[in-house]
Amino acid sequence: MAPRYAPSLRSRLAPLLFFLQLGLLVIYGNYIEIESNVKVHGITVSHIYPDFQDVNVMVFLGFGFVCTFLVRYGFSGSGFNLLVAIMATQLAIILNGIESWYYRGKIRIDLRSIVVAEMCTASALISIGAVLGKTNPVHLVLIALLEVSGFVLNKWLLQTLLKVQPLNSIMLLHIFGTLFGLMLAWMLYRKGSEQQFEKEKSDRKTRLFSMLGSLFLWMFWPSFNTALVDVSTPGRKLAAVCSTYLALAVSAVTAAALSVLSSPNGKLNPNHMQSCIIAGGVAVGVSMSVVHQPWEAMTIGFAAAVISTIGFRYLKFHMLLAFQCHDTCAVLSTHGLPGLLGWLAHLLLQLKDCDHHTMAIRFAVFHICTLLITIALSLFMGFITGLLLKLNIWRPTQDKKCFDDQAFWEVGNQDIIFLQANKYVAEDNCISAPKISNNKLQ
């Protein structure tokens, strides 16, 4: 029996995608051109292309496989990740180039601008993790476009009003994406979420694919943190890569130890290893510009793994009970808490390096304002997006169809059901029917 809302996808998703893509095509055709200079800001294609490849792997493979842990939501977890990422990246390139369009009449793009756009897109993928499985693809596309627009606006405000460095403003994507996603999860709360949804579960195979996504993220996170580091400063990028690796290494070891300690049976929890091994990379990325010593990065990685593992163990369930916020992928403990820790580490390390009290106080005020603006704008944009998604015109997914690929994908189950039904009819009519095994059907 076909899903009830299949015609809804046909009448809403396809027109929406065609309309958005044709609109982007018109904008790109009239206002965007590829940068012709071989060397821009001291960076050549050979310098940025490895980072471009690594960020691509993280955005499309890493985040995509991480979302496949649900037993019947693998196609949607990876496929919708690809869909929303490429749509959001195209929009982010335009939004990041508005200033260039204002002064030059054209938006010039290169590999660096695409990398920046994909990093902005990562904030939207974090937000989508909070509502994974409870939304349809129309919702996800709207979430990605609105979230990226809000994040680019937040980045512009921080760089314009508070003179925040571009790298520091972009690395706040973890905090922005987490709070945006949590606001969405609160706005789109479904009654009965305290009792686990029927299909909200995983098995060994799906956890293995999800762990593969975490390994992709862990391996390529140094490139993600250092893709925008200024190469004009000798040794700065090498130091950033080493700091990120050390923080990731310490967080992986610490997460494993805490997972064993917090387990009633004294065993490793695959969810902890999957979600908390990247906490050090998240935290040190937010504080990258002030981390200069290996022990600083390792300390940040250790603290990030502690709060991430403990948060994953206890905070997700309490957030659901206390605030009616059903965070599917536990983005608060994976990205939010380590991101806040990185912000705090940035503040403390910068104050330690300040020799003048007046400069220290001034930096502290500006740094706190940076966080407050990010929190306020992310929650506001999440609230507006939640109000938009609650409209019935988007045909929200029914509770019994949440976390199910069959609602949106042709997965082959219909043919199996049809053949089995014919077999039973034949047996009732005393007609000998050949026995068909599932292996042959597959």
Side-chain angles (χ1 to χ4, degrees):
M1 183 176 181
R4 172 183 169 185
Y5 37 81
S8 172
L9 285 184
R10 188 179 299 113
S11 62
R12 288 167 173 78
L13 180 61
L16 176 65
L17 294 180
F18 274 121
F19 174 77
L20 291 174
Q21 191 58 73
L22 290 176
L24 292 171
L25 181 60
V26 171
I27 295 175
Y28 273 73
N30 290 284
Y31 300 106
I32 293 184
E33 61 185 12
I34 298 177
E35 179 63 59
S36 58
N37 293 333
V38 177
K39 192 173 185 180
V40 181
H41 303 298
I43 302 175
T44 61
V45 174
S46 60
H47 290 150
I48 194 66
Y49 190 73
D51 293 328
F52 167 72
Q53 286 182 310
D54 293 348
V55 173
N56 257 335
V57 171
M58 288 187 61
V59 169
F60 296 104
L61 280 181
F63 282 102
F65 278 125
V66 161
C67 296
T68 60
F69 66 95
L70 296 165
V71 67
R72 299 187 62 177
Y73 206 69
F75 285 113
S76 300
S78 57
F80 293 158
N81 178 85
L82 171 66
L83 177 64
V84 299
I86 54 183
M87 292 297 298
T89 300
Q90 292 179 73
L91 177 63
I93 291 174
I94 297 173
L95 296 177
N96 287 324
I98 287 180
E99 186 176 0
S100 174
W101 169 80
Y102 180 78
Y103 289 106
R104 301 178 181 177
K106 289 282 187 179
I107 299 175
R108 295 183 179 177
I109 64 171
D110 52 16
L111 284 183
R112 183 181 175 86
S113 61
I114 297 177
V115 170
V116 172
E118 289 189 337
M119 296 180 74
C120 296
T121 298
S123 66
L125 301 181
I126 294 171
S127 302
I128 288 173
V131 293
L132 187 72
K134 299 168 291 185
T135 51
N136 62 39
V138 177
H139 287 154
L140 297 180
V141 172
L142 294 175
I143 290 171
L145 298 181
L146 291 171
E147 204 277 349
V148 164
S149 301
F151 180 73
V152 173
L153 175 60
N154 181 75
K155 179 169 67 72
W156 179 81
L157 288 175
L158 296 182
Q159 295 179 13
T160 304
L161 299 180
L162 301 180
K163 307 301 180 183
V164 177
Q165 297 179 5
L167 177 62
N168 294 336
S169 62
I170 292 176
M171 282 303 168
L172 290 174
L173 65 93
H174 303 285
I175 299 175
F176 191 97
T178 297
L179 296 178
F180 186 99
L182 292 179
M183 176 58 74
L184 276 181
W186 178 71
M187 292 285 294
L188 302 178
Y189 174 78
R190 294 169 181 263
K191 293 182 179 180
S193 295
E194 295 83 359
Q195 304 294 329
Q196 191 176 31
F197 285 89
E198 176 186 359
K199 299 167 186 175
E200 189 185 359
K201 53 188 177 181
S202 58
D203 59 12
R204 292 184 61 182
K205 183 182 295 185
T206 57
R207 285 185 177 182
L208 180 61
F209 276 101
S210 187
M211 177 62 76
L212 180 62
S214 297
L215 293 178
F216 274 121
L217 293 177
W218 194 93
M219 290 171 56
F220 292 102
W221 208 277
S223 296
F224 188 82
N225 279 354
T226 62
L228 303 180
V229 172
D230 187 8
V231 296
S232 61
T233 304
R236 181 61 189 139
K237 188 157 188 172
L238 176 61
V241 170
C242 293
S243 297
T244 302
Y245 178 82
L246 291 174
L248 287 167
V250 172
S251 66
V253 175
T254 307
L258 288 175
S259 178
V260 172
L261 291 176
S262 61
S263 172
N265 299 322
K267 297 181 179 180
L268 287 169
N269 188 325
N271 292 330
H272 293 167
M273 295 300 295
Q274 170 190 327
S275 301
C276 305
I277 60 175
I278 62 173
V282 173
V284 82
V286 179
S287 56
M288 178 62 63
S289 59
V290 294
V291 175
H292 304 297
Q293 299 297 328
W295 70 267
E296 295 173 347
M298 298 174 75
T299 302
I300 293 173
F302 178 84
V306 170
I307 64 172
S308 179
T309 307
I310 295 176
F312 191 96
R313 182 74 181 180
Y314 303 106
L315 196 57
K316 179 180 178 179
F317 182 70
H318 289 292
M319 285 284 291
L320 179 58
L321 291 181
F323 301 104
Q324 294 186 336
C325 180
H326 184 203
D327 181 5
T328 303
C329 292
V331 297
L332 177 60
S333 58
T334 306
H335 296 273
L337 295 180
L340 291 172
L341 174 68
W343 174 88
L344 180 61
H346 189 178
L347 174 62
L348 295 178
L349 290 175
Q350 186 68 41
L351 293 179
K352 180 179 71 71
D353 295 337
C354 287
D355 297 329
H356 200 280
H357 293 291
T358 303
M359 291 297 297
I361 295 174
R362 184 177 180 182
F363 173 80
V365 171
F366 274 77
H367 198 61
I368 293 173
C369 290
T370 298
L371 180 64
L372 294 179
I373 291 175
T374 302
I375 292 175
L377 189 56
S378 61
L379 293 178
F380 174 75
M381 290 297 298
F383 181 78
I384 296 299
T385 305
L387 289 178
L388 177 63
L389 298 185
K390 292 183 74 172
L391 298 177
N392 289 329
I393 61 174
W394 310 120
R395 295 295 295 275
T397 308
Q398 304 169 17
D399 289 349
K400 64 180 180 180
K401 293 296 184 180
C402 288
F403 309 102
D404 192 350
D405 279 333
Q406 190 177 344
F408 313 109
W409 298 81
E410 295 181 3
V411 294
N413 291 338
Q414 308 298 327
D415 297 333
I416 295 176
I417 295 173
F418 176 77
L419 290 174
Q420 289 177 344
N422 287 342
K423 172 187 174 184
Y424 297 145
V425 171
E427 290 176 349
D428 291 340
N429 293 330
C430 298
I431 300 175
S432 60
K435 186 176 180 180
I436 302 176
S437 64
N438 290 334
N439 292 333
K440 291 183 179 180
L441 289 175
Q442 293 175 354

